[in-house]
Amino acid sequence: MNKKSIEPLYLLLLIVTFLLMGISLYLIFIVTPTERTMGEVQKIFYFHVPSAWTAFLAFFIVCIASIVFLKTGDAKWDKLAGSSAEIGILFTTLVLITGPLWAKPVWHVYWTWDARLTTSFILWLIYIAYLMLRSYTADSERGARFAAVFGIIGFIDVPIVYMSIRWWRTLHPSPVMAGNEGSGLAPEMVRTLMVSLVTFTFLFCILLMFRYKVAMLKSTVDYIKSKMDS
Amino acid sequence: MAAFRQIFAILRKDLLLELRSKEVLTTMLVFALVVVVLFNFVFDPGAEEVKVTAPGILWVAIVFAGNLGLSRTFAREQENGVIQGLLLCPIDRSYLFVAKVLGNIIFIFLLEVVILPVMIVLFDVHIGGAWPMLLLVLLLGIIGFASVGTVFSAISANTKSREVMLPILLFPVTIPVILSSIKSTAYLFAGRELSEVWSWLRVLVGFDVVFFVVCFILYEYVIEE
Amino acid sequence: MGNLGFLFTAYSVVWVALFIYLVSLAKKITSLSREVDMLKQKAEKSE
């Protein structure tokens, strides 16, 4: 492969994502009406929720790829899982940053220990641990198996953590998620959210492909080096 | 029947080893006491809030000490190649898992049985006639924790950072069982109706089953050489 | 910080983070593929 050229699939994906990003931003800031009670800051919603969706998708892929890896033993699935986890953490971090920035003007606090927020935080910690585990396992074949096991348990854990915290918090007053998810959402807002979701999914695909390519190149380099040493 | 014999043989080996050295149990117990003493500085002794937080303190002490015990028991397996020996035995990997989980449950449960009276005395908790129920909660609370812990201790012992990795892996994942254990214990400490306690115990049992089954399936991938 | 300030901060954080990540990936890809080429040449020479 010539290193100056980009493969056509990448190029196509890049162009589509950029176009979609433009459309999303146009919809978010020009077309969609401003929410009445929260004002402009509600527009964080259109990036906050898609980030959360993307993170969830990424961790779902980690789980599936881990299962396939354990069944087949093919190293490329392990690389896919690792790549997806890294991007998932990136988007979870974005969720955890945009969330408080939205909450502060609306709830007057940056953070509440409500079920969704706490679960996102724990989710973030679980996958940070996952990446740490990946980087700390010296023996890579074995390390890949460890990572896969942890990736599967971690993903199954997420809904359980959410349920347990929700039941746990029922006794405490929880903040009302004002105008969230379907409840008081105008049709224009729903449409904008959908476009934004599609955009982020494309963005995720691009990032995952790039990250996966990095992982593959790295293993090629390691492979050649080990061959040359022996 | 053979399954029970094999499980029992491994379990017996672990318990005998511990009975002779008493290393894990002593470490866990002393550490749990240190945690309890430290928590006494967080709240005004005798204040009402201490009673509210006592279940939380109890379980934080248990899981911290439990974490210590889990990493220690697996480290002992690695010394002198015990784990290789076990893997060479003609034993099904899942029996090995069951035996290990049972051993860990027994260790942590013994710790609980000692630490609970200490908590009751130090924090002036009244349990009344709910003793059997409380023991049940203490037992159920550690089944899920020990299942995940058995798998994760095998993982962390093989990483560069060794024991340091275990709590980072273990605590976020086991939050559901820890939460429901705290809640059940809190209801018992507060003298609530048993039906209310049952509602949380059901949740706890559900989590235990999920964690045990998942770890049961995945254990063989962790210990394979 | 006003309502718009929060909005601006949130979007900036998202853009900057994504941009940095994308650039770092692109950099890694170029440097790694260069290394692969170099190693391949070296391997051919030694044979």
Side-chain angles (χ1 to χ4, degrees), chain B residues 130-190:
Chain B
W131 268 105
M133 198 67 171
L134 189 58
L135 284 177
L136 184 65
V137 171
L138 287 179
L139 182 64
L140 288 173
I142 51 174
I143 293 177
F145 183 77
S147 308
V148 180
T150 304
V151 173
F152 286 2
S153 61
I155 290 180
S156 75
N158 285 299
T159 60
K160 268 186 240 162
S161 52
R162 294 260 164 170
E163 280 89 353
V164 187
M165 202 60 209
L166 182 60
I168 297 175
L169 298 176
L170 184 58
F171 290 152
V173 171
T174 47
I175 281 173
V177 274
I178 302 174
L179 280 190
S180 17
S181 309
I182 294 179
K183 212 63 177 187
S184 314
T185 314
Y187 279 10
L188 282 174
F189 278 10

Side-chain angles (χ1 to χ4, degrees), chain A residues 64-79 140-141 143-146 148:
Chain A
I64 297 296
S66 300
I67 293 174
V68 179
F69 172 72
L70 285 185
K71 285 282 155 224
T72 63
D74 189 342
K76 71 172 185 240
W77 292 102
D78 168 58
K79 293 194 180 66
S140 67
E141 206 279 315
R145 241 183 302 123
F146 289 163

